[in-house]
Amino acid sequence: MKFANEDFWMFWNEARGSGLFEKHYDEINLNKAIKLDPADDLYFALYKMGMMEAHTMRDDKGVLVGYSVYYVQPHMHYKKSLTATNDILFVRKDCRRGLAGYKFLKYTVDEIKKRKPQRIFFHVKPHHDFGRLLERLGAKAFETMYSINLE
């Protein structure tokens, strides 16, 4: 596997056309009433402001098999605190063997640290919990989020 920090918009367009986002959605989304429909225009605007970063995982043939996307900005509550928030993280199931997922996660954390954020946030779903991998990288549980589904 090869890991890279790629141009966000080039990655985005490739991922949108490859069906990988749909695989990700099918695996983790428990509320299928909310259809996958990324706000491309908002992602593009954030990309143009230098706030988006994409890390990729590719197989030996160069096929995109995983990604980690961050937005990096001053925190809304602490404007002098640069915060990196992981927006989406996915590795195709057949590519999670051995330490591949952990190595990719470590790579992506090391890469985003180069932007010098004060904090890096990840959201972890209870039914798809990779918190132990994050803990191995020094993360600690920070906050619990709840959702009220109205559809």
Side-chain angles (χ1 to χ4, degrees):
M1 295 294 168
K2 181 181 174 196
F3 309 145
N5 185 338
E6 296 189 19
D7 175 80
F8 174 80
W9 199 242
M10 289 180 67
F11 149 77
W12 187 259
N13 287 315
E14 179 181 358
R16 288 283 273 147
S18 73
L20 205 53
F21 284 165
E22 289 76 13
K23 281 184 172 64
H24 186 177
Y25 169 86
D26 288 340
E27 181 178 337
I28 65 160
N29 192 319
L30 297 178
N31 183 0
K32 300 294 194 246
I34 300 174
K35 301 297 180 206
L36 181 64
D37 186 20
D40 295 314
D41 54 343
L42 179 56
Y43 277 102
F44 185 71
L46 294 172
Y47 159 72
K48 292 304 259 180
M49 293 189 306
M51 296 169 67
M52 300 303 301
E53 188 162 320
H55 307 143
T56 60
M57 179 178 188
R58 295 182 180 276
D59 68 14
D60 295 338
K61 296 177 182 172
V63 174
L64 182 66
V65 297
Y67 49 81
S68 181
V69 171
Y70 292 88
Y71 50 93
V72 182
Q73 67 185 56
H75 193 279
M76 298 275 291
H77 301 171
Y78 317 102
K79 66 182 178 182
K80 293 183 181 173
S81 174
L82 189 64
T83 301
T85 302
N86 187 264
D87 180 42
I88 50 177
L89 173 65
F90 182 71
V91 173
R92 216 172 61 193
K93 275 187 178 183
D94 62 319
C95 298
R96 297 178 193 165
R97 294 181 293 277
L99 293 173
Y102 173 76
K103 288 178 180 178
F104 180 57
L105 186 57
K106 182 175 181 345
Y107 169 82
T108 193
V109 167
D110 288 345
E111 279 299 300
I112 206 65
K113 283 179 180 178
K114 293 176 182 177
R115 302 272 299 253
K116 306 253 189 257
Q118 282 187 301
R119 296 183 294 182
I120 303 171
F121 288 137
F122 287 87
H123 53 95
V124 178
K125 293 178 174 27
H127 62 279
H128 206 278
D129 190 346
F130 60 98
R132 293 191 117 162
L133 294 179
L134 292 168
E135 289 170 0
R136 285 179 63 185
L137 295 171
K140 293 181 176 32
F142 173 72
E143 189 171 270
T144 301
M145 181 180 289
Y146 290 86
S147 172
I148 298 173
N149 293 323
L150 302 176
E151 289 186 33

